Amino acid sequence: MKRIVIKLGTSVLTGGTKQLNRPAMLEIVRQCAELREAGHEIILCSSGAVAAGRERLNFPDLPPTLPSKQLFAAVGQSRLMLTWERLFEMYGLHVGQILLTRADLEFRNRYLNARDTLHALLEYGIIPIINENDAVATEEIRVGDNDNLSAVTAVLAQADLLIMLTDQPGLFTADPRTDPQAQLIREVDQIDDQLRQLAGASGTNLGTGGMITKLQAAAVARRSGTEVVIAAGKEPNVLTRLVLKGEAIGTHFTPEQNPLESRKQWLLAGAKPTGKLVVDQGAVSALVNHGRSLLPAGVLHVQGKFGRGDTLIINGQDGHEVARGLARYTSQDMRRLLGVQSAEIEERLGYTYGAAVVHRNDLVLTCA
């Protein structure tokens, strides 16, 4: 038995049109029912609320603002869920809705509450349908797009497999819409800068995420031990062929060999970073190669305003992200500790919270 998260992009649910494509949605439901019959647990991460709202209101000409999008989402979310409910009901399956924002994942207890709800639905044979709460989310608290939301869902559910269905067959060596020589990348064992550059060249105008956001999502999910596949939603029987027959469809991302422990999964997927530390090469080596904590002596620059316990991005001098972790000192304190030896912390501040500014138990590497 596998626990599978299936991410459905707007382009898949609309078939490239302006409204929900019910036959295409029914075909997804039919395949999900087949997977359920085979003993697998299914979670849907569904886009489409905004498209459903526009359709319901007969495509009004509203300004392209956040309130307009929230209006469409408020109208469309119930329509989207009603459609899913009716389609799954044809196969005798029940669904339950979970709406999430970044705020629901930012604090450990709320993260655990969301996880427990998800697990309870699965335990009772109910298919969770998850979407970002676009009707109330703002740029500051939204997860960002449903690609990244699907990765967070995979972490919450401790899923074995994340399938992201899109309007593209997978990740290519170049943009297939403009380069006829572009080749599909079948297998990815490591996500590096070259791969990110390739992903940045492709995307879609139908949804909020392009291929780069799918790559970001794959990086998060695979670090928690989840296998990831990006494939075309219009591929016939794509779900059953991937899961039941084990066919090689789309781009497959192998999971990390040593999945992150639960607390670090939350750290990577949950809290939005509020600050950034730039560290020297010695600190990078200590973090990446030796599993050490981050000491103040290796910190070169502090960016942003943050408090104790806030999530920080840790960058090398080349600007690339190395890790994320929880701050043991405020941004104000950190600026007084730049380059300071740990033994001097109490002398500088008049108190100490320990030798590390980010302890290794509160840190997860993101450079791999």
Side-chain angles (χ1 to χ4, degrees), residues 294-354:
L294 178 61
L295 305 180
V299 181
L300 301 174
H301 304 289
V302 178
Q303 299 178 21
K305 183 178 181 180
F306 52 86
R308 293 188 68 231
D310 285 356
T311 300
L312 304 178
I313 293 174
I314 301 171
N315 280 4
Q317 289 175 269
D318 58 4
H320 290 142
E321 183 175 326
V322 175
R324 296 191 181 197
L326 302 182
R328 286 207 163 184
Y329 294 88
T330 68
S331 53
Q332 183 178 0
D333 287 345
M334 276 302 311
R335 289 184 171 91
R336 298 174 62 189
L337 296 177
L338 292 177
V340 168
Q341 297 297 316
S342 297
E344 302 174 44
I345 292 177
E346 186 169 7
E347 181 182 343
R348 288 290 182 99
L349 301 180
Y351 55 85
T352 180
Y353 295 118

Side-chain angles (χ1 to χ4, degrees), residues 98 113 143 167 186 207 296 316 327:
I98 300 179
N113 287 340
V143 173
D167 57 353
R186 294 286 183 181

Side-chain angles (χ1 to χ4, degrees), residues 90-155:
M90 295 170 63
Y91 291 88
L93 296 172
H94 297 291
V95 299
Q97 182 182 38
I98 300 179
L99 293 174
L100 293 175
T101 66
R102 176 70 70 178
D104 296 310
L105 307 172
E106 198 166 72
F107 300 101
R108 177 74 171 164
N109 62 331
R110 294 174 72 173
Y111 172 92
L112 294 175
N113 287 340
R115 187 191 67 180
D116 291 346
T117 300
L118 186 58
H119 287 184
L121 289 171
L122 294 171
E123 182 181 352
Y124 285 94
I126 299 169
I127 295 179
I129 298 181
I130 296 175
N131 200 347
E132 188 159 41
N133 195 0
D134 288 325
V136 299
T138 66
E139 293 302 317
E140 288 73 27
I141 66 173
R142 68 195 305 270
V143 173
D145 57 79
N146 278 346
D147 293 325
N148 284 306
L149 181 62
S150 70
V152 173
T153 300
V155 173

Side-chain angles (χ1 to χ4, degrees), residues 20 25 65 93 140 159 188 224 249 255 260 270 291 300 323 332:
L20 296 178
M25 294 173 69
T65 61
L93 296 172
E140 288 73 27
V188 175
S224 66
I249 303 174
L260 298 173
L300 301 174
Q332 183 178 0

Side-chain angles (χ1 to χ4, degrees), residues 161-183:
L161 175 62
L162 167 61
I163 302 173
M164 291 189 280
L165 297 184
T166 181
D167 57 353
Q168 295 292 324
L171 180 63
F172 284 79
T173 55
D175 190 339
R177 298 168 301 182
T178 58
D179 187 346
Q181 303 301 317
Q183 297 293 316

